[in-house]
Amino acid sequence: MSIKILALSVLLPIIMFFSTLSQAEYGDVVINNYSEEAGMRPVIFPHWFHRIRFRCKVCHADLGFEFKAGGNDINMLKIIDGEYCGACHNGEIAWSVESCNLCHSAKPGTETQVHESTISKLLTNQKPAAASTTGGTKK
Amino acid sequence: MSIQKPGYKSLYLYLSLSMAPLFLAFTPLQPAYAEEIKNGKQVYEIGCAGCHASGVLDAPKFGNNADWLKREQQGFETLVKHALNGFNNMPAKGGNPAYKNEEIIATVAYMLSEAGFPNYADRTGVKAVTTASTPKPAEKPATVAPKSKPATATKSYKNTNQFNRLMAPSSEWNPPQSKDGIHDPENDGTEMLQKPRVAFEPLANSTSGNRVDWVKALHNGEINPRYDRVNPDAMPVVMDLNIVREVKGSMPNVVYPHKQHTEWLDCSNCHPAIFIPQKGANQISMASILLGQKCGVCHGKVAFPVSECRKCHSQAKTAKK
């Protein structure tokens, strides 16, 4: 109990403070259970883009996506067989799997997580400045 | 390398009159000695950093290779022409017609060399002949090694006491993927993705999360997300049932609305995995929400963030029904 109260009293101010420091789009999910090991960039799933087109119910009830980043054990075989992303990215409802780089678009090393979440902001000490300090030596 | 066309003078005059307020805003430190020929770095810091340091209005960001890559491919001449004449939101000469063409050319070269195109480094100064023949007494440290950290002095001076120190200004909300810190700008697919700002432009806005008020956007018909994967005409079964949860202390009571949720979600998304469907049967606290349980399964991740206290704590205690 006291832990909860402590958590609340510590976390609330932090949240209110940091909730506006934004980088990735709110709700962007990076999925990297297998991609990087297999030599691909991690996958980024943009919620904002999909929720303009579909209600949550389509994916989270009909297609069975669990509410957990990385929690669905997705791989390419399932996708080409029409499960998960493959239920739509099949050349009929949306462009098909051959556009690898539209899904596999994250910076190498990006971990599985839902971005800009309250929790990630509290637990990982995200630096707000990353975007504004892109040095001149990118290559 | 004369790109000058006839008619510029009048254009600049027109611009300098009609856009005077803009100049004042973006060039607060007007060059005191207009005669001196400045190098690329000097011009950049005073005349261009205002937009290019932060990338407002989608200006290519200083030092960001990804932002400049496509532009560099248009060729130096084109870039110079755009910098001199203006281009979309890029005002001619950055809005300061007092700059000489050579100075602008040197500045474009400087911006390119700092964005990771080192072959422009030798063009970032203005012709040695000119500067050498007219040495100024009270000159600023002149030729600057192009590799030195850009604009630090001016930038830190300008930014030390900016109004919001920790809160991102609205110009930095919804950055394009190439600048969002998770997409790889080197990936050729990244540029093809739709920019959030473009998609959000017509939608009701808010100040947190995606900066979109999704409830309003849906209500106003600004978006029409499908309720079925294939059938665009399927409509949700909306249930209008409010559950009021009384809160101890000063915070207003929480009104949980089934309506807005069943617009988006299926009953099975919440019942029974997250909530037993019985009023008061579920222990909910802010701590659990913050930690991603109960309402926090969605709020703070995809649905509006936890910082929007008032959206949930919406019923004043005196007005209990």
Side-chain angles (χ1 to χ4, degrees):
Chain A
M1 273 301 128
S2 61
I3 292 184
K4 278 197 177 169
I5 291 170
L6 185 70
L8 182 62
S9 57
V10 173
L11 300 190
L12 262 185
I14 304 185
I15 281 203
M16 304 209 282
F17 215 49
F18 284 96
S19 54
T20 39
L21 295 176
S22 189
Q23 276 284 313
E25 202 48 59
Y26 185 68
D28 275 3
V29 178
V30 173
I31 314 178
N32 190 7
N33 291 330
Y34 306 110
S35 298
E36 207 158 354
E37 260 171 51
M40 296 293 289
R41 290 185 174 86
V43 171
I44 298 179
F45 172 81
H47 262 105
W48 63 269
F49 182 91
H50 288 87
R51 72 180 293 186
I52 289 175
R53 291 161 177 78
F54 299 97
R55 319 241 174 176
C56 327
K57 171 257 186 192
V58 174
C59 293
H60 290 292
D62 301 352
L63 298 176
F65 281 101
E66 295 285 337
F67 286 134
K68 188 170 190 322
N72 292 277
D73 202 30
I74 307 173
N75 62 37
M76 287 316 289
L77 178 62
K78 292 179 185 170
I79 292 177
I80 60 172
D81 283 344
E83 289 179 66
Y84 297 113
C85 322
C88 301
H89 288 278
N90 54 10
E92 287 173 39
I93 293 172
W95 39 263
S96 80
V97 284
E98 74 260 11
S99 312
C100 317
N101 290 344
L102 292 182
C103 292
H104 292 275
S105 63
K107 282 186 182 160
T110 316
E111 288 167 28
T112 298
Q113 72 175 112
V114 50
H115 273 271
E116 302 309 306
S117 74
T118 303
I119 293 201
S120 72
K121 283 182 170 166
L122 297 172
L123 300 186
T124 66
N125 182 20
Q126 278 189 343
K127 288 234 182 69
S132 46
T133 56
T134 28
T137 46
K138 269 252 196 70
K139 203 67 246 260
Chain B
M1 186 172 309
S2 175
I3 310 179
Q4 181 117 20
K5 275 191 275 164
Y8 275 177
K9 286 253 166 61
S10 52
L11 175 65
Y12 292 155
L13 186 63
Y14 165 73
L15 276 173
S16 60
L17 292 173
S18 63
M19 296 172 74
L22 191 71
F23 301 165
L24 292 178
F26 285 111
T27 56
L29 309 169
Q30 280 286 343
Y33 23 71
E35 286 317 298
E36 184 191 325
I37 298 204
K38 282 170 273 327
N39 67 27
K41 181 171 190 285
Q42 292 168 317
V43 173
Y44 169 76
E45 288 179 8
I46 294 172
C48 323
C51 295
H52 286 275
S54 60
V56 287
L57 301 165
D58 268 339
K61 209 160 163 179
F62 185 74
N64 185 321
N65 182 265
D67 277 10
W68 285 94
L69 198 61
K70 282 250 169 58
R71 298 180 184 270
E72 198 269 339
Q73 285 161 3
Q74 306 176 83
F76 189 62
E77 301 279 309
T78 309
L79 292 180
V80 166
K81 210 157 95 191
H82 289 165
L84 288 172
N85 300 358
F87 181 59
N88 298 333
N89 287 330
M90 161 72 203
K93 294 192 172 182
N96 192 337
Y99 287 125
K100 299 189 173 53
N101 288 1
E102 313 87 283
E103 291 175 326
I104 297 294
I105 295 168
T107 310
V108 175
Y110 170 69
M111 290 163 89
L112 286 169
S113 80
E114 290 294 316
F117 305 96
N119 46 326
Y120 293 97
D122 56 349
R123 292 191 241 176
T124 62
V126 176
K127 283 171 225 128
V129 210
T130 336
T131 9
S133 64
T134 57
K136 290 283 161 199
E139 220 172 10
K140 290 188 204 161
T143 33
V144 182
K147 270 297 144 203
S148 70
K149 264 281 177 247
T152 354
T154 323
K155 251 174 89 181
S156 58
Y157 161 75
K158 240 175 57 187
N159 290 346
T160 305
N161 292 318
Q162 65 195 34
F163 185 77
N164 285 121
R165 203 170 61 81
L166 291 166
M167 203 170 81
S170 58
S171 61
E172 287 175 19
W173 297 353
N174 312 113
Q177 282 86 354
S178 56
K179 292 183 206 158
D180 72 1
I182 61 168
H183 284 82
D184 188 349
E186 316 265 296
N187 170 36
D188 52 11
T190 301
E191 266 308 305
M192 289 175 63
L193 298 172
Q194 185 181 36
K195 312 251 176 311
R197 277 190 186 210
V198 174
F200 297 163
E201 170 69 34
L203 308 186
N205 57 357
S206 81
T207 52
S208 63
N210 298 115
R211 319 287 175 182
V212 170
D213 186 325
W214 293 103
V215 171
K216 276 206 195 116
L218 184 66
H219 179 80
N220 300 347
E222 295 157 358
I223 57 174
N224 183 18
R226 289 186 185 185
Y227 188 66
D228 184 85
R229 187 172 54 103
V230 283
N231 176 4
D233 300 323
M235 287 312 287
V237 191
V238 177
M239 184 172 94
D240 193 356
L241 168 67
N242 283 349
I243 309 260
V244 178
R245 310 238 349 171
E246 289 182 18
V247 177
K248 290 201 193 85
S250 68
M251 285 298 284
N253 292 334
V254 173
V255 179
Y256 166 80
H258 268 95
K259 183 163 177 287
Q260 287 91 318
H261 289 92
T262 48
E263 291 271 11
W264 291 95
L265 292 147
D266 191 69
C267 316
S268 71
N269 285 134
C270 290
H271 299 308
I274 307 177
F275 302 107
I276 302 162
Q278 188 193 327
K279 186 172 163 22
N282 302 270
Q283 275 264 337
I284 311 175
S285 68
M286 274 323 287
S288 61
I289 294 173
L290 287 169
L291 295 174
Q293 295 151 12
K294 306 296 173 187
C295 317
V297 169
C298 300
H299 291 282
K301 289 173 176 169
V302 177
F304 66 77
V306 185
S307 50
E308 298 288 305
C309 316
R310 274 285 182 183
K311 284 198 173 164
C312 293
H313 291 274
S314 59
Q315 190 194 66
K317 288 188 164 138
T318 42
K320 251 183 252 173
K321 278 180 203 149

